[in-house]
Amino acid sequence: MSFGAFVGLFDEHLLPDTSTLALSLPGSLPAFLILLLSVITGPLLDAHLHRYLSFTGFILTTLAFLSLSFTCGAGLYGQGTYWAILLCFLLAGLGQACFFVASSQNATQWFPQRRFIAIGITSAGAAVGGIVYPLAIRFLVGKYAFPTGIRIFAAIVGGTGLFAAVFGRANPAVPPRKLGPLCRTATWVDPAALRCKPFLAYAAGVAFIFLGFFALPFFVTNWAQNKSLGVTQDIMGGDGELPAGAPGFRSYWFLIILNGSSAVGRVCSSWVAMRVGDPLQTQTVFCVLAALLALVMWPLAGNTATAIAFSVLYGVFGGGVLGLVASVVADLVPGERKDCVGQWTGMLFLACALPALVGPLMGGAVYAQFGDNAVGWFTGGALLAAAVCMGLGAWVKEREKRRVAREKEVGSREAEV
């Protein structure tokens, strides 16, 4: 969610001659690695290997952003080195993969009775980072120039990662799942998940979410500039000063507002899911509403006030879509296999890895070829397809629940006779 801040810096200053499609790759590549490696980190977390993963993630992410500070010379116009930047974000993706499943896994273990709201609060941390990190990047780079600013930013990222590594741990009351031989498929893939029809339908829906959702946050600042909804500001003059720039609403604030609203949406959707008792149905409704916003309100926003309203609403409902993924998986896992929540989560995200890689690239191609409005149509179409798949999963889940209830009722009657 924070990569939009880097897109602006690269597009405006460091890599001005690089295509929009190429600029999307440093953002989509970490997402691909995070999801791809979840099939490995999930079972490791079920085995209570949290500390090993967290310290590995702390080292890799800190090293990635420290390395990024050396990829752009003195931070002057056009001094960015694309292949080096890409490698740094690849390393960052490896580090972030170590933290990705752990946050929801810890919440599920420590708060099993209120896991929906606990996961929602944990997920809101990602949205808070989506507020703090873009602001920190722009301030630090503007005040200290790119190399020094990114090194300070690396220290901030490393500090938060170290905090998670030191204090994040598994609940000792939950018995660890024994990790099987590393060469066996069953160690990483649970065959029971492949026989669960609601889970399969839901996995297809989440794949569509990752295909289209992030195109809007990636290009929201460009959208605001192109439609004259906000003004841009070159913060990288290379002299370490933060210029005043032209007066007006800064276009990067749309990303900040969207991420801030996402935190609200993640917590509120989890509360609604807890009250309704079915996170899958709740997420389906939020997904439909987010799709309608992308299809209708994104292209029709004609002034700053409407654009701010869009950012708030899309952040709220989009945050609800993203924040409920882990809750739905925990709810779909059968009671006798609750020690496999991490494994099922990893399998789900593995299915979403390729869509997460090609989705922003497709969004960048759509933006370059057809303009701003088409990005909204692309995202809205993907979210509607996701809602259809999730709705199908909810219907199958409800039908199976009723079938089991009828079988129990028949069994109890026969026992009475």
Side-chain angles (χ1 to χ4, degrees):
M1 296 286 283
S2 300
F3 182 71
F6 282 106
V7 168
L9 298 180
F10 297 153
D11 187 30
E12 298 165 12
H13 196 95
L14 293 172
L15 300 168
D17 298 325
T18 305
S19 67
T20 305
L21 181 63
L23 286 177
S24 303
L25 187 57
S28 61
L29 185 60
F32 169 74
L33 292 173
I34 289 169
L35 298 174
L36 179 69
L37 296 177
S38 294
V39 75
I40 297 175
T41 60
L44 294 179
L45 291 168
D46 288 335
H48 288 198
L49 299 177
H50 294 65
R51 288 285 173 85
Y52 296 97
L53 285 171
S54 297
F55 275 102
T56 302
F58 152 67
I59 294 171
L60 292 178
T61 51
T62 306
L63 182 61
F65 287 106
L66 278 176
S67 302
L68 182 64
S69 68
F70 296 98
T71 61
C72 300
L76 300 178
Y77 185 84
Q79 286 192 342
T81 305
Y82 179 77
W83 66 265
I85 292 173
L86 189 62
L87 288 177
C88 291
F89 278 97
L90 184 150
L91 187 61
L94 294 175
Q96 291 164 359
C98 298
F99 291 111
F100 185 61
V101 180
S103 57
S104 60
Q105 179 82 339
N106 282 343
T108 302
Q109 289 186 354
W110 284 99
F111 305 98
Q113 301 302 321
R114 295 185 176 273
R115 61 183 182 274
F116 297 157
I117 191 68
I119 292 173
I121 294 173
T122 304
S123 175
V128 173
I131 303 171
V132 176
Y133 285 168
L135 288 175
I137 291 167
R138 297 192 70 88
F139 173 77
L140 293 172
V141 170
K143 189 169 182 60
Y144 301 107
F146 187 86
T148 304
I150 294 301
R151 286 169 199 147
I152 298 173
F153 179 72
I156 296 173
V157 172
T160 55
L162 182 60
F163 183 89
V166 171
F167 294 101
R169 63 189 182 94
N171 187 349
V174 177
R177 177 173 174 265
K178 185 178 179 180
L179 193 65
L182 300 183
C183 59
R184 287 186 57 192
T185 305
T187 302
W188 314 109
V189 177
D190 187 1
L194 302 178
R195 295 191 296 268
C196 180
K197 295 178 182 178
F199 177 78
L200 296 177
Y202 181 66
V206 178
F208 277 112
I209 291 174
F210 279 98
L211 179 69
F213 180 88
F214 293 102
L216 288 191
F218 278 14
F219 294 104
V220 66
T221 55
N222 302 67
W223 165 74
Q225 293 166 20
N226 295 339
K227 302 190 80 168
S228 300
L229 303 173
V231 295
T232 186
Q233 177 184 23
D234 186 2
I235 65 171
M236 299 174 59
D239 55 3
E241 297 295 328
L242 185 63
F249 192 84
R250 301 298 181 210
S251 56
Y252 66 84
W253 275 105
F254 291 107
L255 177 64
I256 305 300
I257 293 170
L258 192 152
N259 286 336
S261 303
S262 176
V264 177
R266 292 170 191 241
V267 176
C268 290
S269 64
S270 300
W271 180 83
V272 172
M274 185 176 65
R275 301 293 296 179
V276 173
D278 193 328
L280 180 52
Q281 293 182 8
T282 304
Q283 189 183 28
T284 302
V285 173
F286 272 69
C287 194
V288 171
L289 294 174
L292 293 177
L293 287 169
L295 289 169
V296 178
M297 198 169 182
W298 168 277
L300 293 181
N303 54 61
T304 301
T306 307
I308 292 174
F310 167 81
S311 299
V312 171
L313 293 174
Y314 187 78
V316 169
F317 293 113
V321 171
L322 296 178
L324 284 172
V325 173
S327 297
V328 174
V329 176
D331 188 57
L332 290 176
V333 176
E336 68 275 8
R337 305 198 66 81
K338 286 301 182 184
D339 60 341
C340 299
V341 172
Q343 190 178 32
W344 283 47
T345 305
M347 293 173 61
L348 172 78
F349 288 135
L350 175 64
C352 303
L354 187 59
L357 176 65
V358 303
L361 298 178
M362 293 174 62
V366 168
Y367 172 79
Q369 186 71 27
F370 303 105
D372 306 297
N373 292 346
V375 175
W377 299 332
F378 168 72
T379 294
L383 292 179
L384 280 181
V388 170
C389 294
M390 292 190 296
L392 178 62
W395 176 74
V396 173
K397 176 189 171 187
E398 190 65 26
R399 190 181 65 173
E400 290 184 356
K401 185 188 298 184
R402 292 177 180 175
R403 179 182 59 80
V404 171
R406 285 197 302 268
E407 290 177 353
K408 288 183 178 180
E409 183 179 354
V410 171
S412 61
R413 289 178 180 176
E414 291 178 351
E416 291 176 0
V417 174

